[in-house]
Amino acid sequence: MKVALWILIFLATFCFMEFMAWFTHKYVMHGFLWSLHRDHHKKDHDSWFERNDAFFIFYAIVSMTLFYLGSYTSFWYGWPLGFGILAYGIAYFTVHDIFIHQRFKMFRNANNWYARGVRRAHKMHHKHLGKDDGECFGMLVVPFKYFKKKY
């Protein structure tokens, strides 16, 4: 029973993180912490790293804290929560930084319906260089219209 609950918590956390990514992107990154996210929309430096990468650090700290609590307290569900956040972070990094922005030259030839839809949605998001008037703030789940052929 505990294994099934562990898996359920992990999966629920992973799914919830898509909402958190959308919420954080729309209201924090395009809100009061635009100063950290701005260089992701308009590169104004020569570094491989972006100020925007600080958001990964925040979620990594949350995940590590949950691992610590799961290890050294009776808060055993810190483990599935921490792994759910970690797994989402890996998925986000793979899709956003590697696949879409090609920070590593991998998955360049991916051209299935999901890959095209996610690319289109992200392209529409990046057509806005400022913090206002943005669209499509999600990452793994994007509106259906971006998957249509005629888009």
Side-chain angles (χ1 to χ4, degrees):
M1 178 62 176
K2 192 172 183 179
V3 172
L5 185 56
W6 199 101
I7 293 169
L8 182 66
I9 293 170
F10 166 81
L11 292 173
T13 302
F14 183 91
C15 292
F16 181 71
M17 286 304 295
E18 176 67 13
F19 166 76
M20 284 303 300
W22 172 86
F23 181 88
T24 303
H25 194 178
K26 183 169 182 156
Y27 295 108
V28 177
M29 294 178 182
H30 282 256
F32 66 94
L33 287 180
W34 173 249
S35 60
L36 291 177
H37 187 60
R38 180 187 312 122
D39 70 338
H40 181 64
H41 282 264
K42 187 176 182 190
K43 192 166 179 162
D44 60 358
H45 56 82
D46 292 328
S47 175
W48 185 82
F49 291 101
E50 299 175 345
R51 290 181 295 276
N52 184 63
D53 295 334
F55 294 105
F56 282 114
I57 295 168
F58 171 77
Y59 283 111
I61 291 170
V62 171
S63 183
M64 289 186 294
T65 300
L66 289 165
F67 290 145
Y68 176 85
L69 292 172
S71 296
Y72 297 106
T73 71
S74 60
F75 190 74
W76 65 266
Y77 39 95
W79 281 104
L81 289 168
F83 273 115
I85 294 170
L86 173 63
Y88 185 83
I90 292 168
Y92 189 99
F93 181 77
T94 301
V95 171
H96 182 261
D97 288 272
I98 297 176
F99 173 65
I100 293 173
H101 288 290
Q102 290 291 300
R103 285 177 91 174
F104 298 99
K105 305 302 179 203
M106 300 168 61
F107 309 120
R108 297 176 113 178
N109 298 323
N111 198 25
N112 60 56
W113 68 272
Y114 179 75
R116 285 190 305 271
V118 169
R119 264 197 209 113
R120 284 182 194 127
H122 204 71
K123 187 174 184 173
M124 293 306 293
H125 176 74
H126 274 271
K127 79 175 186 177
H128 304 282
L129 296 178
K131 76 181 221 176
D132 299 321
D133 301 323
E135 62 183 282
C136 200
F137 293 93
M139 176 50 49
L140 301 178
V141 178
V142 298
F144 183 70
K145 69 181 182 178
Y146 297 110
F147 295 104
K148 294 180 181 176
K149 280 191 182 242
K150 65 179 184 176
Y151 190 78

